[in-house]
Amino acid sequence: RKEVEQDPGPFNVPEGATVAFNCTYSNSASQSFFWYRQDCRKEPKLLMSVYSSGNEDGRFTAQLNRASQYISLLIRDSKLSDSATYLCVVNIFRGYSTLTFGKGTMLLVSP
Amino acid sequence: DVKVTQSSRYLVKRTGEKVFLECVQDMDHENMFWYRQDPGLGLRLIYFSYDVKMKEKGDIPEGYSVSREKKERFSLILESASTNQTSMYLCASSIGGSRDTQYFGPGTRLTVL
């Protein structure tokens, strides 16, 4: 089983749609969780951290279910500018911090 | 704002050449990382460093080495470039800790002919 698995995509949605990304991770020792966004030919950038209680940042909501080892990202009212690849990222702290990245899910928002 | 810079955006080298990729961060971060990113394979960790002169192998260290002589600078070295090392190379830095996040440089697209 891959360490971090995501829907392969791409997701094609119209403007204004709600879209959900799912992610599962295999290592139960994972300690922190993130969603990164990567625009075409650009570097990944932190979108938001994911907490057990769930967290929201404007149109974006992230959820974590530790029991199921599952992370989600919900985008409401999609904008054209949301078109990007969304990377699910997990941190396993072993005295030093390294991140394991999912392969990403591409989102294409069309007018 | 964290700033991570990489020496080149695009680089073309020939098979067998020695290649140096430089990365500099300006936030006094302890940790620095080198990844490569390939279509269908995602981001893969090559090497990382959690202190000056310290280095640790990542998932795919073969064919690469690194150097960290100063805290702000982390170099990736391809001793003898090969065509299968054609890729996007991304450097990142982080402060460390269990809730650590990483900040990436703009990447270097390396083509080995």
Side-chain angles (χ1 to χ4, degrees):
Chain A
R1 184 179 171 187
K2 293 191 179 75
E3 288 200 62
V4 180
E5 290 203 70
Q6 297 184 240
D7 295 331
F11 285 19
N12 287 282
V13 302
E15 267 187 298
T18 296
V19 60
F21 300 125
N22 302 312
C23 172
T24 56
Y25 60 95
S26 60
N27 192 323
S28 58
S30 301
Q31 294 196 317
S32 50
F33 310 88
F34 310 93
W35 285 99
Y36 275 66
R37 170 195 169 125
Q38 186 172 23
D39 292 294
C40 189
R41 299 185 180 279
K42 299 277 191 176
E43 73 274 21
K45 291 185 178 176
L46 178 67
L47 178 67
M48 58 198 301
S49 300
V50 188
Y51 304 112
S52 295
S53 54
N55 48 303
E56 192 172 307
D57 183 3
R59 298 181 292 110
F60 298 81
T61 301
Q63 300 254 324
L64 166 66
N65 184 323
R66 283 189 184 268
S68 303
Q69 295 181 197
Y70 170 87
I71 307 159
S72 66
L73 176 68
L74 186 76
I75 305 176
R76 291 181 299 280
D77 189 23
S78 300
K79 311 290 184 195
L80 296 175
S81 57
D82 294 335
S83 296
T85 297
Y86 291 83
L87 303 168
C88 177
V89 185
V90 170
N91 183 343
I92 303 170
F93 187 71
R94 306 183 183 98
Y96 46 79
S97 174
T98 62
L99 299 182
T100 301
F101 289 77
K103 291 182 182 177
T105 303
M106 184 183 289
L107 172 66
L108 299 169
V109 182
S110 52
Chain B
D1 247 9
V2 176
K3 196 158 171 77
V4 181
T5 56
Q6 294 183 228
S7 49
S8 307
R9 292 300 303 273
Y10 300 93
L11 209 52
V12 180
K13 296 291 182 181
R14 297 210 173 270
T15 301
E17 279 193 79
K18 191 168 185 175
V19 182
F20 292 88
L21 301 182
E22 302 283 336
C23 175
V24 178
Q25 51 95 3
D26 68 356
M27 285 302 293
D28 203 34
H29 282 172
E30 301 293 328
N31 302 339
M32 296 187 76
F33 307 82
W34 275 106
Y35 296 86
R36 63 178 284 177
Q37 187 173 29
D38 301 285
L41 296 176
L43 274 154
R44 293 181 291 168
L45 181 62
I46 304 171
Y47 266 98
F48 64 100
S49 168
Y50 53 88
D51 202 353
V52 175
K53 296 194 187 292
M54 304 301 287
K55 60 184 179 185
E56 292 284 340
K57 292 180 180 179
D59 300 318
I60 51 162
E62 297 78 22
Y64 303 94
S65 63
V66 290
S67 172
R68 192 161 181 207
E69 295 297 318
K70 293 184 177 181
K71 191 175 187 180
E72 67 271 18
R73 189 178 297 268
F74 192 35
S75 303
L76 180 70
I77 303 149
L78 287 67
E79 293 290 339
S80 178
S82 62
T83 54
N84 63 13
Q85 292 178 311
T86 291
S87 186
M88 169 68 90
Y89 289 88
L90 289 154
C91 174
S93 73
S94 73
I95 200 165
S98 61
R99 294 208 61 81
D100 199 23
T101 59
Q102 292 180 13
Y103 299 88
F104 284 84
T108 296
R109 187 165 291 280
L110 173 67
T111 302
V112 183
L113 301 175

